[in-house]
Amino acid sequence: MKTKIQRKKIAIGREEVAALTILKKCGVNVLEAAQVASAVIARLRQNGCVGDYSLACAAVVDEGLKVMATREKTVPFEEAVRMSLAARADRRPTTLRDLCGILRRECCAWRG
């Protein structure tokens, strides 16, 4: 038994065309962008947000980027080595000497 798939023709206006154009130029998948926007707006509604969702979404993105920046803080390798040695400053002199020797060898091998 065959079923017919009916396709609805949806008229899109200038705003929709502009939105699609912007997303395409940014290299964003239109469907994924719509899903993300829908999820964010649903969460905003759950938290009692009404009105201008574009401003609320911008605020959500700004706060999210701030959180990500604090979580993804990295330091250069040499600084990490210095901090590691400083944390072990209370070790015996021979242990520190051995650690420094190992780090010197590994750093040279790592740099090529």
XYZ file of all heavy atoms in Angstrom:
851
model
N 0.837 -1.174 0.000
C 0.000 0.000 0.000
C 0.884 1.240 0.000
O 1.745 1.386 0.849
C -0.894 -0.042 1.246
C -1.823 1.121 1.318
S -3.195 0.790 2.406
C -2.697 1.640 3.843
N 0.695 2.070 -0.941
C 1.479 3.290 -1.052
C 0.755 4.438 -0.375
O -0.461 4.540 -0.445
C 1.726 3.647 -2.514
C 2.615 2.672 -3.234
C 2.855 3.132 -4.649
C 3.763 2.145 -5.371
N 3.999 2.533 -6.747
N 1.542 5.247 0.271
C 0.956 6.432 0.901
C 1.464 7.665 0.174
O 2.601 7.704 -0.286
C 1.329 6.533 2.393
O 2.735 6.579 2.494
C 0.795 5.350 3.155
N 0.616 8.624 0.106
C 1.005 9.869 -0.543
C 1.551 10.818 0.510
O 0.998 10.952 1.591
C -0.195 10.528 -1.220
C -0.620 9.852 -2.480
C -1.706 10.673 -3.155
C -2.109 10.048 -4.463
N -3.153 10.821 -5.130
N 2.643 11.406 0.172
C 3.217 12.430 1.034
C 2.790 13.772 0.467
O 3.089 14.094 -0.684
C 4.746 12.339 1.109
C 5.162 11.000 1.698
C 5.307 13.502 1.914
C 6.643 10.772 1.699
N 2.069 14.487 1.267
C 1.632 15.795 0.812
C 2.600 16.838 1.324
O 2.927 16.875 2.498
C 0.223 16.094 1.315
C -0.820 15.177 0.718
C -2.208 15.531 1.204
O -2.379 16.438 1.993
N -3.196 14.806 0.713
N 3.062 17.626 0.424
C 3.965 18.709 0.796
C 3.177 19.998 0.838
O 2.483 20.342 -0.114
C 5.106 18.836 -0.185
C 6.004 17.631 -0.186
C 7.127 17.830 -1.149
N 7.908 16.615 -1.202
C 9.204 16.607 -1.334
N 9.867 17.728 -1.444
N 9.858 15.476 -1.386
N 3.306 20.667 1.951
C 2.638 21.950 2.076
C 3.551 23.027 1.529
O 4.749 23.041 1.797
C 2.316 22.259 3.531
C 1.259 21.386 4.110
C 0.940 21.839 5.522
C -0.164 21.010 6.110
N -0.505 21.458 7.461
N 2.979 23.899 0.771
C 3.751 25.027 0.288
C 3.637 26.133 1.322
O 2.547 26.523 1.714
C 3.235 25.501 -1.067
C 3.507 24.518 -2.173
C 3.108 25.082 -3.504
C 3.441 24.079 -4.597
N 3.094 24.600 -5.920
N 4.774 26.581 1.750
C 4.810 27.622 2.759
C 5.391 28.872 2.119
O 6.487 28.846 1.543
C 5.665 27.202 3.964
C 5.088 25.938 4.604
C 5.752 28.322 4.977
C 5.946 25.344 5.672
N 4.662 29.925 2.234
C 5.151 31.197 1.697
C 6.068 31.828 2.736
O 5.731 31.905 3.919
C 3.980 32.123 1.392
N 7.248 32.225 2.297
C 8.156 32.900 3.228
C 8.346 34.341 2.769
O 8.419 34.633 1.580
C 9.511 32.174 3.367
C 10.240 32.075 2.034
C 9.321 30.800 3.958
C 11.631 31.517 2.161
N 8.412 35.191 3.754
C 8.534 36.613 3.459
C 9.972 37.078 3.454
O 10.922 36.288 3.530
N 10.139 38.374 3.395
C 11.471 38.972 3.323
C 12.296 38.685 4.577
O 13.493 38.436 4.497
C 11.356 40.484 3.128
C 10.897 40.860 1.757
C 10.854 42.346 1.596
N 10.383 42.695 0.260
C 10.056 43.882 -0.116
N 10.126 44.896 0.733
N 9.646 44.111 -1.336
N 11.637 38.732 5.745
C 12.375 38.473 6.988
C 12.938 37.062 7.019
O 14.077 36.852 7.420
C 11.480 38.695 8.213
C 11.270 40.136 8.565
C 10.517 40.287 9.882
O 10.305 39.283 10.590
O 10.172 41.433 10.196
N 12.130 36.102 6.588
C 12.591 34.718 6.587
C 13.738 34.522 5.599
O 14.721 33.841 5.887
C 11.436 33.758 6.265
C 10.410 33.638 7.357
C 9.325 34.703 7.313
O 9.346 35.546 6.395
O 8.463 34.692 8.199
N 13.619 35.125 4.436
C 14.686 35.036 3.436
C 15.961 35.677 3.975
O 17.061 35.132 3.830
C 14.253 35.687 2.098
C 15.425 35.792 1.138
C 13.114 34.906 1.466
N 15.819 36.823 4.639
C 16.985 37.497 5.217
C 17.631 36.631 6.291
O 18.856 36.498 6.351
C 16.574 38.851 5.798
N 16.801 36.001 7.133
C 17.337 35.131 8.191
C 18.089 33.950 7.595
O 19.192 33.609 8.043
C 16.206 34.648 9.095
N 17.508 33.331 6.584
C 18.172 32.206 5.925
C 19.482 32.637 5.285
O 20.491 31.932 5.357
C 17.248 31.590 4.869
C 16.011 30.861 5.403
C 15.084 30.492 4.250
C 16.404 29.648 6.200
N 19.482 33.803 4.673
C 20.696 34.323 4.029
C 21.793 34.563 5.052
O 22.951 34.194 4.837
C 20.377 35.634 3.272
O 19.340 35.367 2.328
C 21.596 36.157 2.553
N 21.437 35.160 6.178
C 22.423 35.424 7.241
C 23.023 34.123 7.747
O 24.243 33.991 7.887
C 21.774 36.215 8.396
C 21.464 37.641 7.950
C 22.675 36.216 9.627
C 20.589 38.418 8.917
N 22.175 33.145 8.016
C 22.665 31.863 8.521
C 23.559 31.167 7.505
O 24.597 30.601 7.859
C 21.493 30.960 8.918
C 20.715 31.417 10.148
C 19.470 30.559 10.328
C 21.572 31.383 11.392
N 23.176 31.196 6.252
C 23.995 30.563 5.205
C 25.362 31.240 5.100
O 26.384 30.575 4.969
C 23.280 30.633 3.847
C 22.063 29.783 3.753
C 22.412 28.372 3.408
C 21.126 27.589 3.156
N 21.375 26.205 2.925
N 25.377 32.591 5.151
C 26.649 33.315 5.050
C 27.565 33.002 6.231
O 28.784 33.026 6.098
C 26.404 34.818 4.966
C 25.933 35.270 3.600
C 25.779 36.772 3.531
C 25.314 37.215 2.162
N 25.113 38.672 2.091
N 26.969 32.735 7.384
C 27.762 32.398 8.582
C 28.209 30.941 8.566
O 28.984 30.530 9.420
C 26.949 32.651 9.844
S 26.627 34.381 10.156
N 27.702 30.173 7.616
C 28.062 28.758 7.551
C 27.333 27.917 8.581
O 27.788 26.845 8.957
N 26.184 28.410 9.050
C 25.421 27.713 10.073
C 24.344 26.876 9.403
O 23.661 27.335 8.485
C 24.773 28.726 11.051
C 23.882 28.031 12.056
C 25.840 29.533 11.750
N 24.192 25.648 9.875
C 23.124 24.789 9.392
C 21.802 25.375 9.871
O 21.590 25.584 11.062
C 23.323 23.374 9.932
C 22.247 22.425 9.471
O 21.067 22.641 9.712
N 22.668 21.360 8.824
N 20.901 25.642 8.953
C 19.640 26.317 9.261
C 18.799 25.501 10.241
O 18.232 26.038 11.194
C 18.847 26.613 7.970
C 17.497 27.214 8.275
C 19.652 27.545 7.075
N 18.736 24.209 10.038
C 17.946 23.357 10.917
C 18.510 23.356 12.337
O 17.772 23.484 13.318
C 17.872 21.935 10.367
C 17.058 20.938 11.186
C 15.607 21.412 11.323
C 17.104 19.569 10.544
N 19.836 23.231 12.455
C 20.458 23.255 13.783
C 20.230 24.592 14.470
O 19.962 24.643 15.675
C 21.957 22.978 13.668
C 22.288 21.543 13.345
C 23.785 21.332 13.170
O 24.575 22.256 13.449
O 24.169 20.232 12.759
N 20.335 25.679 13.727
C 20.103 27.007 14.309
C 18.674 27.126 14.822
O 18.438 27.657 15.914
C 20.398 28.091 13.277
N 17.725 26.614 14.058
C 16.328 26.662 14.487
C 16.110 25.815 15.736
O 15.383 26.220 16.652
C 15.420 26.183 13.353
N 16.761 24.657 15.807
C 16.625 23.790 16.983
C 17.221 24.454 18.226
O 16.633 24.403 19.307
C 17.293 22.441 16.724
C 16.532 21.596 15.728
C 17.305 20.356 15.308
O 18.535 20.331 15.330
N 16.576 19.329 14.898
N 18.384 25.075 18.074
C 19.014 25.765 19.198
C 18.142 26.919 19.669
O 17.885 27.077 20.863
C 20.433 26.261 18.829
C 20.980 27.198 19.885
C 21.367 25.079 18.624
N 17.680 27.718 18.722
C 16.829 28.859 19.073
C 15.562 28.383 19.772
O 15.138 28.962 20.783
C 16.491 29.668 17.828
N 14.959 27.331 19.270
C 13.741 26.795 19.870
C 13.995 26.314 21.297
O 13.200 26.579 22.206
C 13.217 25.646 19.011
O 12.097 25.060 19.605
N 15.123 25.618 21.508
C 15.449 25.120 22.847
C 15.700 26.271 23.821
O 15.240 26.239 24.967
C 16.678 24.207 22.777
N 16.422 27.284 23.376
C 16.717 28.425 24.244
C 15.432 29.158 24.606
O 15.205 29.501 25.776
C 17.739 29.387 23.586
C 17.861 30.669 24.366
C 19.090 28.714 23.466
N 14.585 29.384 23.627
C 13.332 30.102 23.893
C 12.436 29.284 24.824
O 11.809 29.832 25.735
C 12.617 30.460 22.573
C 13.419 31.552 21.856
C 11.189 30.923 22.819
C 12.960 31.855 20.453
N 12.408 27.971 24.644
C 11.614 27.122 25.540
C 12.113 27.240 26.978
O 11.324 27.354 27.920
C 11.664 25.667 25.064
N 13.466 27.228 27.155
C 14.025 27.367 28.510
C 13.744 28.738 29.094
O 13.481 28.889 30.282
C 15.531 27.111 28.491
C 15.936 25.699 28.137
C 15.517 24.684 29.189
N 16.145 24.890 30.465
C 17.266 24.318 30.881
N 17.891 23.497 30.088
N 17.745 24.570 32.072
N 13.802 29.768 28.251
C 13.483 31.124 28.724
C 12.034 31.194 29.195
O 11.742 31.781 30.238
C 13.735 32.148 27.619
C 15.194 32.440 27.283
C 15.289 33.287 26.025
C 15.896 33.122 28.450
N 11.130 30.588 28.447
C 9.714 30.572 28.833
C 9.526 29.829 30.152
O 8.737 30.248 30.997
C 8.864 29.936 27.742
C 8.670 30.828 26.550
C 7.818 30.153 25.505
N 7.636 31.024 24.352
C 7.292 30.607 23.156
N 7.085 29.320 22.929
N 7.156 31.462 22.168
N 10.244 28.709 30.318
C 10.149 27.946 31.570
C 10.571 28.795 32.763
O 10.070 28.624 33.869
C 11.031 26.694 31.517
C 10.498 25.606 30.628
C 11.486 24.458 30.509
O 12.601 24.503 31.019
N 11.069 23.411 29.806
N 11.511 29.696 32.527
C 12.010 30.547 33.604
C 11.256 31.867 33.709
O 11.715 32.796 34.364
C 13.512 30.805 33.425
C 14.323 29.564 33.716
O 14.090 28.892 34.712
N 15.257 29.242 32.846
N 10.131 31.958 33.014
C 9.271 33.115 33.174
C 9.579 34.292 32.281
O 9.041 35.375 32.479
N 10.419 34.115 31.296
C 10.753 35.219 30.391
C 9.616 35.420 29.396
O 9.119 34.471 28.801
C 12.048 34.915 29.653
S 12.550 36.229 28.529
N 9.199 36.645 29.263
C 8.186 36.984 28.262
C 8.671 38.214 27.508
O 9.426 39.027 28.031
C 6.809 37.284 28.900
C 6.205 36.030 29.481
C 6.905 38.363 29.947
N 8.241 38.337 26.281
C 8.598 39.546 25.545
C 9.680 39.316 24.521
O 9.659 38.338 23.790
N 10.661 40.207 24.512
C 11.695 40.218 23.485
C 12.718 39.107 23.728
O 13.628 39.236 24.538
C 12.388 41.588 23.461
C 13.298 41.744 22.262
O 13.427 40.781 21.475
O 13.880 42.825 22.101
N 12.554 38.009 23.006
C 13.454 36.870 23.191
C 14.839 37.130 22.612
O 15.808 36.531 23.051
C 12.856 35.612 22.564
C 11.631 35.131 23.290
C 10.397 35.142 22.671
C 11.705 34.682 24.594
C 9.257 34.710 23.336
C 10.579 34.251 25.265
C 9.360 34.267 24.639
O 8.247 33.839 25.308
N 14.949 38.012 21.634
C 16.266 38.256 21.037
C 17.221 38.860 22.053
O 18.391 38.476 22.124
C 16.151 39.137 19.797
O 15.624 40.402 20.135
N 16.742 39.791 22.875
C 17.600 40.369 23.918
C 17.943 39.334 24.980
O 19.085 39.254 25.445
C 16.915 41.576 24.572
C 16.770 42.824 23.698
C 15.971 43.890 24.436
C 18.131 43.362 23.312
N 16.962 38.531 25.359
C 17.209 37.501 26.370
C 18.200 36.460 25.844
O 19.089 36.018 26.575
C 15.896 36.839 26.773
N 18.068 36.084 24.578
C 19.002 35.117 23.982
C 20.420 35.682 23.932
O 21.388 34.966 24.202
C 18.547 34.722 22.580
S 17.105 33.655 22.555
N 20.536 36.956 23.596
C 21.856 37.594 23.568
C 22.484 37.581 24.955
O 23.682 37.309 25.108
C 21.742 39.018 23.045
N 21.668 37.837 25.983
C 22.180 37.811 27.353
C 22.612 36.400 27.749
O 23.650 36.213 28.406
C 21.115 38.328 28.324
N 21.843 35.400 27.336
C 22.192 34.006 27.622
C 23.530 33.654 26.979
O 24.407 33.040 27.600
C 21.075 33.053 27.131
C 21.541 31.606 27.130
C 19.831 33.209 27.984
N 23.713 34.056 25.732
C 24.962 33.771 25.020
C 26.134 34.473 25.708
O 27.191 33.870 25.930
C 24.862 34.189 23.535
C 26.221 34.143 22.857
C 23.872 33.299 22.806
N 25.959 35.740 26.070
C 27.038 36.484 26.743
C 27.447 35.807 28.049
O 28.636 35.629 28.324
C 26.606 37.931 27.024
C 26.546 38.770 25.766
O 27.152 38.364 24.753
O 25.897 39.831 25.802
N 26.458 35.435 28.860
C 26.766 34.775 30.136
C 27.410 33.417 29.918
O 28.345 33.039 30.625
C 25.504 34.637 30.992
C 24.977 35.949 31.507
C 25.999 36.709 32.351
O 26.645 36.100 33.225
O 26.155 37.916 32.117
N 26.935 32.692 28.919
C 27.523 31.391 28.606
C 28.975 31.504 28.167
O 29.820 30.698 28.565
N 29.275 32.517 27.373
C 30.662 32.726 26.931
C 31.566 33.089 28.100
O 32.724 32.659 28.160
C 30.716 33.810 25.854
C 30.127 33.410 24.502
C 30.072 34.609 23.565
C 30.927 32.280 23.875
N 31.041 33.867 29.045
C 31.833 34.205 30.239
C 32.166 32.950 31.034
O 33.301 32.768 31.480
C 31.068 35.188 31.122
C 30.990 36.590 30.571
C 30.162 37.476 31.495
C 29.874 38.825 30.857
N 28.954 39.621 31.686
N 31.182 32.088 31.212
C 31.405 30.847 31.953
C 32.416 29.971 31.225
O 33.326 29.407 31.842
C 30.072 30.096 32.160
C 30.301 28.698 32.700
C 29.164 30.880 33.097
N 32.270 29.861 29.913
C 33.204 29.041 29.142
C 34.624 29.583 29.227
O 35.584 28.812 29.300
C 32.751 28.962 27.685
C 31.535 28.092 27.483
S 30.916 28.127 25.793
C 32.288 27.414 24.902
N 34.774 30.891 29.217
C 36.113 31.495 29.292
C 36.792 31.158 30.611
O 38.005 30.933 30.652
C 36.014 33.003 29.103
N 36.031 31.123 31.688
C 36.642 30.802 32.986
C 36.970 29.326 33.093
O 37.929 28.956 33.757
C 35.720 31.202 34.159
O 34.490 30.485 34.052
C 35.459 32.682 34.168
N 36.216 28.487 32.424
C 36.462 27.041 32.489
C 37.606 26.608 31.594
O 38.284 25.643 31.884
C 35.214 26.272 32.072
C 34.134 26.301 33.096
C 33.011 25.408 32.675
N 31.935 25.483 33.634
C 30.736 24.990 33.429
N 30.469 24.385 32.307
N 29.815 25.098 34.339
N 37.816 27.279 30.498
C 38.785 26.847 29.503
C 40.081 27.640 29.558
O 40.746 27.812 28.552
C 38.160 26.950 28.108
C 36.967 26.043 27.929
C 36.314 26.194 26.575
O 36.819 26.963 25.745
O 35.287 25.552 26.360
N 40.428 28.107 30.727
C 41.643 28.897 30.847
C 42.859 27.966 30.743
O 42.971 26.994 31.471
C 41.647 29.623 32.190
C 42.718 30.645 32.315
C 42.560 31.435 33.593
C 43.575 32.542 33.639
N 43.429 33.323 34.864
N 43.749 28.287 29.825
C 44.953 27.483 29.655
C 46.175 28.352 29.920
O 46.122 29.567 29.838
C 45.054 26.909 28.227
O 45.086 27.990 27.308
C 43.877 26.000 27.913
N 47.256 27.677 30.251
C 48.515 28.385 30.486
C 49.568 27.761 29.576
O 49.462 26.595 29.208
C 48.957 28.288 31.968
C 47.982 28.997 32.871
C 49.124 26.853 32.403
N 50.587 28.519 29.211
C 51.665 27.953 28.405
C 52.358 26.811 29.155
O 52.384 26.781 30.392
C 52.619 29.132 28.203
C 51.798 30.347 28.445
C 50.748 29.946 29.436
N 52.918 25.888 28.402
C 53.546 24.708 28.993
C 54.644 25.080 29.982
O 54.718 24.525 31.080
C 54.119 23.819 27.881
C 54.739 22.560 28.392
C 53.949 21.545 28.878
C 56.116 22.402 28.395
C 54.510 20.368 29.362
C 56.694 21.240 28.863
C 55.890 20.219 29.357
N 55.500 26.051 29.612
C 56.597 26.438 30.499
C 56.076 26.973 31.828
O 56.630 26.698 32.887
C 57.491 27.485 29.824
C 58.366 26.935 28.707
C 57.619 26.806 27.387
O 56.452 27.253 27.303
O 58.196 26.225 26.446
N 54.973 27.732 31.774
C 54.394 28.262 33.010
C 53.827 27.129 33.873
O 53.967 27.135 35.098
C 53.291 29.271 32.683
C 52.741 29.974 33.906
C 51.698 31.022 33.561
O 51.675 31.501 32.410
O 50.910 31.352 34.450
N 53.236 26.143 33.238
C 52.711 24.992 33.972
C 53.846 24.236 34.662
O 53.705 23.793 35.803
C 51.946 24.075 33.035
N 54.982 24.124 33.973
C 56.145 23.448 34.571
C 56.638 24.241 35.782
O 56.902 23.673 36.846
C 57.265 23.272 33.529
C 58.568 22.840 34.186
C 56.838 22.274 32.466
N 56.753 25.581 35.632
C 57.187 26.413 36.763
C 56.232 26.285 37.946
O 56.657 26.165 39.092
C 57.296 27.875 36.341
C 58.580 28.227 35.616
C 58.781 29.737 35.524
N 57.707 30.411 34.813
C 57.638 30.562 33.487
N 58.586 30.112 32.740
N 56.636 31.170 32.905
N 54.939 26.310 37.664
C 53.951 26.188 38.736
C 54.038 24.820 39.405
O 53.908 24.699 40.626
C 52.540 26.431 38.185
C 52.300 27.872 37.803
S 50.787 28.233 36.848
C 49.578 27.129 37.442
N 54.280 23.794 38.609
C 54.415 22.444 39.147
C 55.627 22.337 40.071
O 55.548 21.758 41.152
C 54.534 21.444 38.005
O 54.715 20.140 38.492
N 56.743 22.918 39.638
C 57.944 22.891 40.481
C 57.750 23.723 41.749
O 58.200 23.327 42.827
C 59.162 23.387 39.699
C 59.688 22.424 38.637
C 60.775 23.086 37.810
C 60.182 21.138 39.274
N 57.066 24.854 41.626
C 56.807 25.687 42.805
C 55.930 24.937 43.807
O 56.128 25.053 45.027
C 56.150 26.997 42.391
N 54.993 24.155 43.331
C 54.122 23.387 44.219
C 54.883 22.275 44.926
O 54.471 21.813 45.990
C 52.959 22.802 43.426
N 56.026 21.879 44.353
C 56.832 20.813 44.950
C 58.101 21.350 45.620
O 59.053 20.621 45.847
C 57.202 19.802 43.865
C 56.013 19.010 43.375
C 56.319 18.282 42.082
N 55.217 17.475 41.617
C 54.109 17.939 41.060
N 53.954 19.247 40.891
N 53.150 17.135 40.666
N 58.104 22.613 45.936
C 59.297 23.254 46.512
C 59.697 22.656 47.850
O 60.855 22.753 48.255
C 59.058 24.757 46.654
N 58.760 22.014 48.524
C 59.068 21.443 49.840
C 59.716 20.063 49.754
O 60.071 19.485 50.780
C 57.792 21.358 50.671
C 56.738 20.473 50.024
O 56.732 20.357 48.780
O 55.910 19.902 50.765
N 59.917 19.555 48.558
C 60.538 18.234 48.395
C 62.040 18.305 48.673
O 62.638 19.371 48.689
C 60.313 17.711 46.968
C 58.869 17.634 46.538
C 58.139 16.504 47.265
N 56.710 16.534 47.068
C 56.064 15.866 46.122
N 56.725 15.151 45.258
N 54.758 15.934 46.046
N 62.633 17.138 48.836
C 64.073 17.081 49.096
C 64.848 17.623 47.900
O 64.376 17.531 46.761
C 64.509 15.636 49.356
C 63.929 15.047 50.617
C 64.394 13.634 50.810
N 63.920 12.830 49.670
C 64.336 11.617 49.381
N 65.250 11.028 50.123
N 63.864 10.959 48.356
N 66.018 18.181 48.140
C 66.832 18.735 47.044
C 67.120 17.711 45.939
O 67.101 18.060 44.756
C 68.116 19.188 47.727
C 67.719 19.439 49.133
C 66.631 18.453 49.437
N 67.374 16.464 46.318
C 67.656 15.454 45.285
C 66.414 15.180 44.428
O 66.526 14.977 43.215
C 68.144 14.137 45.923
O 67.182 13.714 46.899
C 69.502 14.317 46.574
N 65.236 15.192 45.048
C 63.994 14.980 44.300
C 63.767 16.123 43.320
O 63.421 15.903 42.150
C 62.792 14.871 45.268
O 63.032 13.806 46.194
C 61.499 14.613 44.520
N 63.998 17.361 43.784
C 63.843 18.523 42.905
C 64.840 18.480 41.764
O 64.499 18.794 40.617
C 64.001 19.816 43.707
C 62.851 20.131 44.676
C 63.175 21.373 45.487
C 61.546 20.304 43.923
N 66.074 18.076 42.064
C 67.096 17.972 41.018
C 66.681 16.948 39.979
O 66.779 17.180 38.774
C 68.439 17.589 41.643
C 69.585 17.571 40.637
C 70.826 16.894 41.164
N 70.529 15.468 41.328
C 70.848 14.754 42.397
N 71.480 15.292 43.410
N 70.534 13.478 42.471
N 66.170 15.797 40.439
C 65.719 14.759 39.511
C 64.543 15.242 38.660
O 64.506 15.007 37.452
C 65.320 13.492 40.275
C 66.513 12.807 40.939
O 67.667 13.143 40.582
O 66.284 11.956 41.812
N 63.591 15.928 39.291
C 62.449 16.472 38.557
C 62.900 17.456 37.489
O 62.427 17.426 36.349
C 61.475 17.172 39.510
C 60.494 16.279 40.269
C 59.741 17.098 41.298
C 59.541 15.613 39.313
N 63.824 18.341 37.856
C 64.325 19.326 36.894
C 65.030 18.642 35.732
O 64.866 19.044 34.571
C 65.269 20.315 37.586
S 64.406 21.487 38.640
N 65.794 17.602 36.024
C 66.478 16.868 34.969
C 65.494 16.206 34.018
O 65.649 16.272 32.788
N 64.479 15.587 34.578
C 63.458 14.931 33.751
C 62.741 15.963 32.890
O 62.542 15.768 31.695
C 62.451 14.169 34.642
C 63.140 12.965 35.294
C 61.231 13.733 33.846
C 62.334 12.324 36.409
N 62.358 17.077 33.505
C 61.650 18.120 32.765
C 62.515 18.714 31.666
O 62.032 18.995 30.568
C 61.154 19.210 33.719
C 59.983 18.788 34.606
C 59.713 19.831 35.664
C 58.741 18.543 33.765
N 63.801 18.907 31.943
C 64.700 19.436 30.917
C 64.768 18.488 29.720
O 64.665 18.911 28.576
C 66.096 19.641 31.494
C 66.528 21.086 31.553
C 67.987 21.260 31.905
N 68.459 20.492 33.047
C 68.274 20.832 34.338
N 67.612 21.923 34.631
N 68.736 20.096 35.304
N 64.919 17.202 29.997
C 64.981 16.216 28.915
C 63.671 16.176 28.126
O 63.672 16.173 26.906
C 65.286 14.820 29.469
C 66.735 14.558 29.740
C 67.007 13.071 29.933
N 66.123 12.426 30.901
C 66.329 12.391 32.221
N 67.384 12.979 32.740
N 65.485 11.768 33.007
N 62.550 16.156 28.845
C 61.243 16.075 28.187
C 60.937 17.340 27.389
O 60.375 17.267 26.309
C 60.138 15.809 29.205
C 60.218 14.439 29.840
C 60.170 13.312 28.826
O 59.360 13.379 27.887
O 60.952 12.362 28.971
N 61.305 18.491 27.934
C 61.055 19.755 27.222
C 61.870 19.809 25.930
O 61.374 20.247 24.897
C 61.377 20.964 28.092
S 60.126 21.248 29.344
N 63.106 19.343 25.979
C 63.931 19.323 24.770
C 63.347 18.374 23.743
O 63.290 18.689 22.554
C 65.370 18.926 25.112
S 66.268 20.186 26.007
N 62.895 17.206 24.199
C 62.295 16.239 23.276
C 60.980 16.765 22.725
O 60.642 16.559 21.563
C 62.060 14.901 24.003
N 60.225 17.473 23.570
C 58.922 18.006 23.173
C 59.079 19.108 22.126
O 58.310 19.182 21.185
C 58.213 18.541 24.421
C 56.918 19.236 24.162
C 55.776 18.679 23.732
C 56.655 20.629 24.324
N 54.798 19.626 23.608
C 55.309 20.828 23.976
C 57.416 21.715 24.731
C 54.724 22.070 24.017
C 56.811 22.952 24.775
C 55.492 23.114 24.417
N 60.082 19.954 22.287
C 60.297 21.065 21.357
C 60.889 20.597 20.031
O 60.819 21.271 19.030
C 61.220 22.115 21.973
C 60.519 22.902 23.041
C 61.391 23.994 23.532
N 60.710 24.721 24.589
C 61.275 25.574 25.380
N 62.567 25.827 25.262
N 60.603 26.184 26.297
N 61.497 19.448 20.036
C 62.047 18.917 18.779
C 63.418 19.249 18.644
O 64.340 19.574 18.228
